[in-house]
Amino acid sequence: MEPLPIVWFVAVALLWTGYLLLEGFDLGVGMHMLVGARSESDRRVMLNAIGPVWDGNEVWLLTAGAATFAAFPLWYASLFSALYIPLVLVLLGLILRAVSIEYRGKIVSRVWTRFWDWSIGLGSAVAAFGIGAGLALTTTGLPIDANGDRVGGPFVWLTPVAVLGGLALVGFCLVHGATFLALKTDGPVRERMRRLVPRLAPVALLPIAGWAILVEVQGGNVFSWILLGLAVVAGVVGWIFARAGREGRAFTGFAVFGALGAGSIFAAVFPVVLPSTIDAAYDLTIWNAASGPYTLGVMTVVTGVALPVVLAYQAWTYWVFRKRIGPAHLPAAHDVTPAIRQAGAAR
């Protein structure tokens, strides 16, 4: 048995889990800008809470996608072929969100800022739903044939499982984002999120629990069931700390819930990376979807050198911007004049 495909399956699972945990609260904050903010000050506080880290968190999506492509090219090709439409929507949502964050503060205008607020919220919701749907389908199955090609029309992926996965990630992001805001902000936003999390979590986390149980019933093993049990315990602990107003421990509890929940799902499907709903003989596994030993070996060496540097840099970023932010820290809103116009005016 070749060890490298197993190593890279674990690595890909960790990268996707890292992305869900880090980008999860970003997406949740984006959605809360629509439903959880009461004033322009609230929305600016929310946006500034994720301002220093949101683009760094998105790197995990690129890394997870690139690792999937390089280590398991057949998995990547089949997944993107079968889920072409939802993945395009995910990319559009992420692009819309990124552009909105960059442009929202350029002009002081209620119409301008509210337009970009809706763009941030909708882009975050679409991205979260699409990623959740895609991950749910890759763990429960798609109609792929012996060549890994999709069988059926372009909307064959739109199943109850896809909707469940989409709702699961949206719900997790809302809870994770609210807990993050309670931890990182001060003032009205913090107080509102502290009250919201204990009421939101029991309902919003139900879809992700349903997704995990579905995967476990379909092909779970002792190890994956243990991980799922620990995830439930972590979620309950996070909820208890949220009720007690301990934001840091609540955030940790829900983060551990997400990590162990994702771990239980990946452990349950191992060694299958994309089940076929047509015939189990067409399943893509880490053995028939992996790159050759040379490619995996080079990837392992490069990752062993680069990954610690990336992790250290991101940890330093979080340390530098570790303090809470509140309305008192916001500078006065002002129009931003493009540099090219400033240069023209100076001539």
Side-chain angles (χ1 to χ4, degrees):
M1 180 182 295
E2 290 287 337
L4 285 180
I6 300 175
V7 169
W8 274 99
F9 176 80
V10 174
V12 168
L14 290 175
L15 288 171
W16 279 109
T17 303
Y19 171 72
L20 295 178
L21 295 182
L22 294 177
E23 182 81 331
F25 65 74
D26 283 353
L27 297 174
V29 170
M31 288 184 275
H32 281 297
M33 286 185 66
L34 290 184
V35 299
R38 297 290 182 270
S39 66
E40 169 65 7
S41 175
D42 286 355
R43 285 184 280 273
R44 290 186 66 194
V45 168
M46 290 180 176
L47 197 55
N48 278 274
I50 62 171
V53 296
W54 72 270
D55 47 357
N57 293 341
E58 282 198 342
V59 171
W60 284 74
L61 175 62
L62 301 176
T63 308
T68 306
F69 167 73
F72 304 101
L74 192 53
W75 179 17
Y76 182 91
S78 297
L79 193 61
F80 273 68
S81 173
L83 302 178
Y84 184 78
I85 291 178
L87 290 177
V88 167
L89 293 176
V90 167
L91 290 177
L92 291 176
L94 292 174
I95 292 171
L96 179 63
R97 175 173 163 272
V99 171
S100 303
I101 293 174
E102 295 292 340
Y103 276 78
R104 184 186 186 278
K106 301 297 185 186
I107 296 177
V108 181
S109 162
R110 177 174 171 75
V111 175
W112 176 268
T113 54
R114 288 303 287 162
F115 172 79
W116 293 118
D117 288 341
W118 277 95
S119 300
I120 294 172
L122 293 178
S124 299
V126 168
F129 187 90
I131 293 170
L135 290 177
L137 289 171
T138 196
T139 55
T140 56
L142 282 165
I144 57 173
D145 60 19
N147 296 319
D149 296 329
R150 182 191 67 215
V151 177
F155 291 97
V156 71
W157 57 272
L158 191 55
T159 64
V161 172
V163 175
L164 177 66
L167 293 177
L169 197 54
V170 168
F172 176 72
C173 290
L174 284 172
V175 174
H176 205 33
T179 315
F180 178 77
L181 287 173
L183 175 65
K184 282 291 294 177
T185 66
D186 209 353
V189 173
R190 179 189 180 192
E191 297 304 320
R192 197 175 302 121
M193 292 300 151
R194 289 179 68 177
R195 294 193 299 269
L196 175 64
V197 173
R199 290 178 287 154
L200 176 66
V203 178
L205 296 182
L206 279 179
I208 198 170
W211 171 17
I213 292 173
L214 176 65
V215 174
E216 293 294 342
V217 171
Q218 200 172 46
N221 50 61
V222 174
F223 180 60
S224 62
W225 276 106
I226 291 175
L227 288 179
L228 181 59
L230 294 175
V232 173
V233 172
V236 172
V237 170
W239 180 76
I240 292 173
F241 280 124
R243 281 177 59 87
R246 306 295 295 270
E247 297 101 338
R249 296 182 183 185
F251 181 80
T252 303
F254 289 123
V256 173
F257 165 81
L260 291 176
S264 74
I265 292 172
F266 280 108
V269 300
F270 177 86
V272 177
V273 292
L274 183 57
S276 171
T277 56
I278 298 176
D279 191 328
Y282 303 154
D283 287 351
L284 296 183
T285 70
I286 64 170
W287 310 118
N288 60 24
S291 295
Y294 177 78
T295 301
L296 295 179
V298 171
M299 289 175 61
T300 303
V301 173
V302 172
T303 303
V305 174
L307 187 60
V309 178
V310 174
L311 292 177
Y313 176 77
Q314 194 155 28
W316 175 78
T317 304
Y318 275 88
W319 175 255
V320 169
F321 296 101
R322 65 188 181 280
K323 293 185 178 179
R324 293 181 184 271
I325 181 169
H329 302 109
L330 298 176
H334 60 280
D335 292 342
V336 176
T337 304
I340 190 170
R341 287 177 55 188
Q342 293 180 12
R347 290 175 183 172

